[in-house]
C-alpha cells in the first residue's frame, strides 16, 4: 500500500510541476541593455599600434597609424637602386629599446594570447623583397629572432602574447635585393593585421 501511495504522490508532484512551469510561459518580451562602444585611435584600442621614432610613421587625423617615407624631412620617397632599413633588428628581445629601433609597435591588450596574421598587399606589381616587415618581441634581454616576416604580396603569422609588446622594422628596396623599381613606380600598399 505504501508503494501505491508513493506512486500517486510522485505522479501528483509531476503533474503539479508541469502545470506550474507551463503557467510561467510568456509570449512576448522586451529587454533593453546599455552599450558603450567608443571608437579610439590605434594607440588606444584592444590591438594597439604605436608610432616609432624612425620618422616614417604618424597618427593620422582619423586615429589610424600611417607609414609614409615622405614624412622624413625634405624627402618624398626613397632612391632608385637602393635599400633602406628603418628600425634595428639587433634590439630583438631587449627589455627596453629606443623609439628609433622600430617603425611601430604592436601590443595585444587582451587577457588571452592571439594568433596575428600580417599581410602586405602592394598597389603595384613588385617583388617580394621590395617591401619587408619583420616582427620582434620586446622581452627579457634574450633574442629570439624574427617572429614573423611579411614580404610584399605575402603574409605571415605569430602568436601575440597577452599584454606583450612587439616591435616592427621595415626594409624598402628598389633594386639591390628586390625587383628593380624605377622612379615612375611606387612601393605603396596596404598592411593588414588580422586576429
Amino acid at each position: 500500500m505504501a508503494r501505491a501511495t508513493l506512486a500517486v504522490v510522485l505522479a501528483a508532484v509531476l503533474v503539479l510541476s508541469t502545470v506550474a512551469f507551463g503557467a510561467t510561459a510568456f509570449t512576448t518580451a522586451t529587454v533593453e541593455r546599455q552599450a558603450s562602444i567608443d571608437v579610439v585611435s590605434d594607440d588606444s584600442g584592444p590591438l594597439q599600434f604605436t608610432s616609432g621614432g624612425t620618422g616614417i610613421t604618424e597618427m593620422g587625423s582619423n586615429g589610424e597609424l600611417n607609414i609614409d617615407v615622405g614624412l622624413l624631412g625634405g624627402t618624398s620617397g626613397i632612391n632608385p637602386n637602393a635599400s633602406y632599413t628603418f628600425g634595428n633588428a639587433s634590439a630583438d628581445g631587449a627589455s627596453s629599446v629606443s623609439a628609433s629601433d622600430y617603425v611601430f609597435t604592436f601590443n595585444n591588450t587582451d587577457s588571452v594570447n592571439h594568433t596575428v596574421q600580417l599581410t602586405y598587399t602592394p598597389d603595384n606589381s613588385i617583388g617580394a623583397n621590395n617591401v619587408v616587415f619583420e616582427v620582434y618581441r620586446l622581452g627579457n634581454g634574450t633574442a629570439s629572432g624574427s617572429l614573423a616576416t611579411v614580404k610584399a604580396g605575402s603574409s605571415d603569422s605569430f602568436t601575440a602574447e597577452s599584454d606583450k609588446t612587439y616591435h616592427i622594422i621595415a626594409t624598402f628596396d628598389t633594386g639591390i635585393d628586390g625587383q628593380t623599381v624605377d622612379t615612375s613606380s611606387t612601393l605603396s600598399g596596404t598592411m593588414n593585421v588580422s586576429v
Side-chain angles (χ1 to χ4, degrees):
M1 183 79 167
R3 240 187 230 175
T5 304
L6 181 60
V8 170
V9 170
L10 287 174
V13 168
L14 183 60
V15 169
L16 287 174
S17 64
T18 303
V19 169
F21 286 113
T24 63
F26 56 86
T27 57
T28 63
T30 302
V31 179
E32 287 184 5
R33 298 291 183 267
Q34 293 296 316
S36 177
I37 306 165
D38 293 333
V39 178
V40 297
S41 63
D42 275 351
D43 58 359
S44 300
L47 301 176
Q48 292 180 347
F49 299 92
T50 305
S51 188
T54 58
I56 64 168
T57 55
E58 68 176 356
M59 296 305 278
S61 60
N62 59 358
E64 293 180 341
L65 178 75
N66 296 319
I67 301 170
D68 183 358
V69 176
L71 293 170
L72 294 171
T75 68
S76 57
I78 61 174
N79 307 63
N81 199 28
S83 181
Y84 288 87
T85 298
F86 294 90
N88 182 3
S90 65
D92 174 29
S95 53
S96 67
V97 296
S98 165
S100 63
D101 287 331
Y102 55 86
V103 174
F104 65 94
T105 63
F106 169 85
N107 187 8
N108 168 25
T109 66
D110 200 354
S111 60
V112 296
N113 298 348
H114 287 288
T115 299
V116 176
Q117 183 170 13
L118 302 171
T119 305
Y120 187 75
T121 306
D123 292 343
N124 299 321
S125 176
I126 61 174
N129 289 330
N130 289 113
V131 176
V132 179
F133 293 94
E134 294 176 275
V135 180
Y136 295 93
R137 182 170 144 353
L138 296 177
N140 58 5
T142 303
S144 59
S146 174
L147 300 174
T149 301
V150 181
K151 297 184 176 193
S154 70
S155 65
D156 198 0
S157 62
F158 69 100
T159 299
E161 295 179 40
S162 171
D163 204 29
K164 298 292 183 194
T165 301
Y166 300 86
H167 66 278
I168 290 79
I169 67 168
T171 300
F172 306 123
D173 187 300
T174 57
I176 291 178
D177 293 321
Q179 175 179 318
T180 299
V181 178
D182 63 25
T183 57
S184 66
S185 193
T186 176
L187 300 180
S188 299
T190 303
M191 169 72 78
N192 182 281
V193 180
S194 60
V195 176

